[in-house]
Coordinates of all heavy atoms in Angstrom, one line a residue:
F292 N 10.4 -1.9 11.5 CA 9.6 -0.6 11.6 C 9.8 0.0 13.0 O 8.9 0.1 13.8 CB 8.1 -0.8 11.3 CG 8.0 -1.6 10.0 CD1 7.9 -3.0 9.9 CD2 8.0 -0.8 8.7 CE1 7.7 -3.6 8.6 CE2 7.8 -1.4 7.5 CZ 7.8 -2.7 7.5
P293 N 11.1 0.4 13.5 CA 11.4 0.6 14.8 C 10.6 1.9 15.3 O 10.5 2.1 16.4 CB 12.8 0.9 14.7 CG 13.2 1.3 13.4 CD 12.2 0.5 12.6
H294 N 10.0 2.8 14.3 CA 9.4 4.0 14.7 C 7.9 3.9 14.6 O 7.2 5.0 14.6 CB 10.0 5.1 13.9 CG 11.4 5.4 14.1 ND1 12.0 5.9 15.2 CD2 12.5 5.0 13.3 CE1 13.3 5.9 15.1 NE2 13.7 5.4 14.0
A295 N 7.4 2.7 14.3 CA 5.9 2.6 14.3 C 5.4 2.8 15.8 O 6.0 2.6 16.8 CB 5.6 1.2 13.9
P296 N 4.1 3.4 15.8 CA 3.6 3.7 17.2 C 3.3 2.5 18.1 O 3.2 2.7 19.3 CB 2.3 4.5 16.9 CG 2.0 4.0 15.5 CD 3.2 3.7 14.8
N297 N 3.2 1.4 17.4 CA 3.0 0.1 18.3 C 3.5 -1.1 17.4 O 3.8 -0.8 16.1 CB 1.6 0.0 18.7 CG 0.6 0.0 17.5 OD1 0.7 -0.9 16.7 ND2 -0.3 1.0 17.6
Y298 N 3.4 -2.3 17.9 CA 3.9 -3.3 17.1 C 2.7 -4.2 16.7 O 2.8 -5.4 16.3 CB 4.8 -4.2 18.1 CG 6.1 -3.5 18.3 CD1 6.6 -3.1 19.4 CD2 7.0 -3.4 17.1 CE1 7.8 -2.5 19.5 CE2 8.2 -2.8 17.2 CZ 8.6 -2.4 18.5 OH 9.8 -1.8 18.6
A299 N 1.5 -3.7 16.6 CA 0.4 -4.4 16.0 C 0.5 -4.5 14.5 O 1.0 -3.7 13.9 CB -0.9 -3.6 16.2
L300 N 0.3 -5.7 14.1 CA 0.4 -6.0 12.6 C -0.3 -5.2 11.8 O 0.2 -4.7 10.8 CB 0.1 -7.6 12.4 CG 0.0 -8.0 11.0 CD1 1.4 -7.9 10.3 CD2 -0.6 -9.3 10.8
T301 N -1.6 -4.8 12.1 CA -2.4 -4.0 11.2 C -1.9 -2.5 11.1 O -2.1 -1.9 10.1 CB -3.9 -3.9 11.8 OG1 -3.8 -3.5 13.1 CG2 -4.5 -5.3 11.7
T302 N -1.1 -2.0 12.0 CA -0.6 -0.7 11.9 C 0.3 -0.6 10.7 O 0.2 0.5 10.0 CB 0.3 -0.5 13.2 OG1 -0.5 -0.5 14.4 CG2 0.9 1.0 13.1
V303 N 1.0 -1.6 10.4 CA 1.9 -1.5 9.2 C 1.3 -2.3 8.1 O 1.4 -1.8 6.9 CB 3.3 -2.2 9.5 CG1 4.3 -2.4 8.2 CG2 4.1 -1.5 10.7
E304 N 0.6 -3.2 8.3 CA 0.0 -4.0 7.3 C -1.0 -3.3 6.3 O -1.0 -3.4 5.2 CB -0.8 -5.2 7.8 CG -1.4 -6.1 6.8 CD -2.0 -7.4 7.4 OE1 -2.8 -7.2 8.5 OE2 -1.9 -8.4 6.8
N305 N -1.9 -2.4 7.1 CA -2.9 -1.7 6.2 C -2.3 -0.8 5.2 O -2.7 -0.8 4.1 CB -3.9 -1.0 7.2 CG -4.8 -2.0 7.9 OD1 -4.9 -3.1 7.5 ND2 -5.2 -1.6 9.1
P306 N -1.5 0.1 5.5 CA -0.9 0.9 4.5 C -0.1 0.2 3.5 O -0.1 0.5 2.3 CB 0.0 2.0 5.3 CG 0.2 1.5 6.7 CD -1.0 0.6 6.9
V307 N 0.6 -0.8 3.9 CA 1.4 -1.7 3.0 C 0.5 -2.3 2.0 O 0.9 -2.3 0.8 CB 2.4 -2.5 3.7 CG1 3.0 -3.6 2.7 CG2 3.5 -1.8 4.5
K308 N -0.6 -2.9 2.4 CA -1.5 -3.5 1.5 C -2.1 -2.6 0.5 O -2.1 -2.8 -0.6 CB -2.7 -4.2 2.3 CG -2.4 -5.4 2.9 CD -3.7 -6.0 3.5 CE -3.3 -7.4 4.1 NZ -4.7 -8.0 4.6
R309 N -2.4 -1.3 0.9 CA -2.9 -0.4 0.0 C -1.8 0.1 -1.0 O -2.1 0.2 -2.2 CB -3.4 0.9 0.8 CG -4.7 0.6 1.5 CD -5.2 1.9 2.1 NE -4.4 2.6 3.0 CZ -4.4 2.4 4.3 NH1 -5.3 1.6 4.9 NH2 -3.6 3.0 5.2
L310 N -0.6 0.2 -0.7 CA 0.5 0.5 -1.4 C 0.8 -0.6 -2.5 O 1.1 -0.4 -3.6 CB 1.8 0.9 -0.7 CG 1.7 2.2 0.0 CD1 2.9 2.4 0.9 CD2 1.6 3.4 -0.9
H311 N 0.6 -1.9 -2.0 CA 0.9 -3.0 -2.8 C -0.1 -3.0 -3.9 O 0.1 -3.2 -5.2 CB 0.8 -4.2 -2.0 CG 1.2 -5.5 -2.8 ND1 0.2 -6.5 -3.1 CD2 2.3 -5.9 -3.4 CE1 0.7 -7.4 -3.8 NE2 2.0 -7.1 -4.2
K312 N -1.3 -2.8 -3.6 CA -2.4 -2.8 -4.7 C -2.2 -1.6 -5.7 O -2.4 -1.8 -6.8 CB -3.8 -2.5 -3.8 CG -5.0 -2.7 -4.8 CD -6.3 -2.6 -4.0 CE -7.4 -2.7 -5.0 NZ -8.7 -2.6 -4.2
F313 N -1.9 -0.5 -5.1 CA -1.5 0.8 -5.9 C -0.3 0.5 -6.9 O -0.5 0.7 -8.1 CB -1.2 1.9 -4.9 CG -1.0 3.2 -5.7 CD1 -2.0 3.8 -6.5 CD2 0.2 3.8 -5.5 CE1 -1.7 5.0 -7.1 CE2 0.4 5.1 -6.1 CZ -0.6 5.6 -7.0
R314 N 0.7 -0.2 -6.3 CA 1.9 -0.6 -7.2 C 1.5 -1.5 -8.3 O 1.8 -1.3 -9.4 CB 2.9 -1.2 -6.3 CG 4.1 -1.7 -7.1 CD 4.0 -3.2 -7.0 NE 5.1 -3.8 -7.8 CZ 4.9 -4.5 -8.8 NH1 3.7 -5.0 -9.2 NH2 5.9 -5.0 -9.5
N315 N 0.5 -2.4 -7.9 CA 0.2 -3.3 -9.1 C -0.8 -2.8 -10.2 O -0.5 -3.1 -11.3 CB -0.6 -4.5 -8.3 CG 0.2 -5.6 -7.7 OD1 1.4 -5.5 -7.8 ND2 -0.4 -6.4 -7.0
R316 N -1.5 -1.8 -9.8 CA -2.2 -1.0 -10.7 C -1.3 -0.3 -11.7 O -1.5 -0.4 -13.0 CB -3.2 0.0 -10.1 CG -4.3 -0.7 -9.3 CD -5.4 0.4 -9.0 NE -5.9 1.0 -10.2 CZ -7.1 0.7 -10.8 NH1 -7.7 -0.5 -10.2 NH2 -7.5 1.3 -11.8
I317 N -0.2 0.4 -11.1 CA 0.6 1.1 -11.9 C 1.4 0.0 -12.9 O 1.6 0.3 -14.0 CB 1.6 1.8 -11.1 CG1 0.8 3.0 -10.4 CG2 2.8 2.4 -11.9 CD1 1.6 3.7 -9.3
A318 N 1.9 -1.0 -12.2 CA 2.8 -1.9 -13.0 C 1.9 -2.6 -14.2 O 2.5 -3.0 -15.2 CB 3.2 -3.0 -12.1
H319 N 0.6 -2.7 -14.0 CA -0.2 -3.3 -15.0 C -0.9 -2.2 -16.0 O -1.7 -2.5 -16.8 CB -1.3 -4.1 -14.5 CG -0.8 -5.4 -13.8 ND1 -0.4 -6.5 -14.6 CD2 -0.5 -5.6 -12.6 CE1 0.1 -7.4 -13.7 NE2 0.0 -7.0 -12.5
H320 N -0.4 -1.0 -15.8 CA -0.7 0.1 -16.7 C -2.2 0.5 -16.6 O -2.8 0.9 -17.6 CB -0.3 -0.1 -18.1 CG 1.2 -0.4 -18.4 ND1 2.1 0.5 -18.3 CD2 1.9 -1.6 -18.5 CE1 3.3 0.0 -18.5 NE2 3.1 -1.3 -18.5
E321 N -2.7 0.3 -15.5 CA -4.1 0.6 -15.3 C -4.2 2.1 -14.8 O -3.2 2.6 -14.2 CB -4.7 -0.2 -14.1 CG -4.7 -1.7 -14.5 CD -5.1 -2.6 -13.3 OE1 -5.9 -2.1 -12.4 OE2 -4.8 -3.7 -13.4
G322 N -5.2 2.7 -15.0 CA -5.5 4.0 -14.7 C -5.5 4.2 -13.2 O -5.9 3.5 -12.4
I323 N -4.9 5.5 -12.8 CA -4.9 5.7 -11.2 C -5.4 7.1 -11.1 O -5.7 7.4 -9.9 CB -3.4 5.6 -10.8 CG1 -2.5 6.6 -11.5 CG2 -2.8 4.2 -10.9 CD1 -1.1 6.8 -10.8
W324 N -5.8 7.9 -12.0 CA -6.2 9.3 -11.7 C -7.4 9.4 -11.0 O -7.6 10.5 -10.3 CB -6.2 10.1 -13.0 CG -4.8 10.4 -13.5 CD1 -4.2 9.8 -14.7 CD2 -3.9 11.3 -13.0 NE1 -3.0 10.3 -14.7 CE2 -2.7 11.1 -13.7 CE3 -3.9 12.2 -11.9 CZ2 -1.6 11.9 -13.5 CZ3 -2.8 12.7 -11.7 CH2 -1.6 12.7 -12.4
H325 N -8.3 8.3 -11.0 CA -9.6 8.4 -10.3 C -9.4 7.9 -8.8 O -10.3 8.0 -8.1 CB -10.5 7.6 -11.0 CG -10.2 6.2 -11.0 ND1 -9.2 5.6 -11.7 CD2 -10.7 5.1 -10.3 CE1 -9.1 4.2 -11.6 NE2 -10.0 3.9 -10.6
L326 N -8.2 7.5 -8.4 CA -7.9 7.0 -7.1 C -7.6 8.1 -6.2 O -7.2 9.3 -6.6 CB -6.8 6.0 -7.2 CG -7.0 4.9 -8.1 CD1 -5.7 3.9 -8.0 CD2 -8.2 4.0 -7.5

């Protein structure tokens, strides 16, 4: 992640965790329109 504003783990980890959870909802055919 060479263009991240800093090298703090949470800078990248937080959005990636949210995207992972979102991806799993989609993969399991769960509703997403309320998100």
Side-chain angles (χ1 to χ4, degrees):
F292 305 94
H294 301 282
N297 58 58
Y298 288 112
L300 173 60
T301 56
T302 300
V303 174
E304 183 182 41
N305 290 337
V307 168
K308 278 185 176 182
R309 290 188 298 264
L310 289 172
H311 184 249
K312 186 175 179 180
F313 183 60
R314 175 252 174 237
N315 283 346
R316 289 189 66 90
I317 293 168
H319 293 280
H320 305 282
E321 297 175 22
I323 61 167
W324 288 108
H325 66 284
L326 301 176

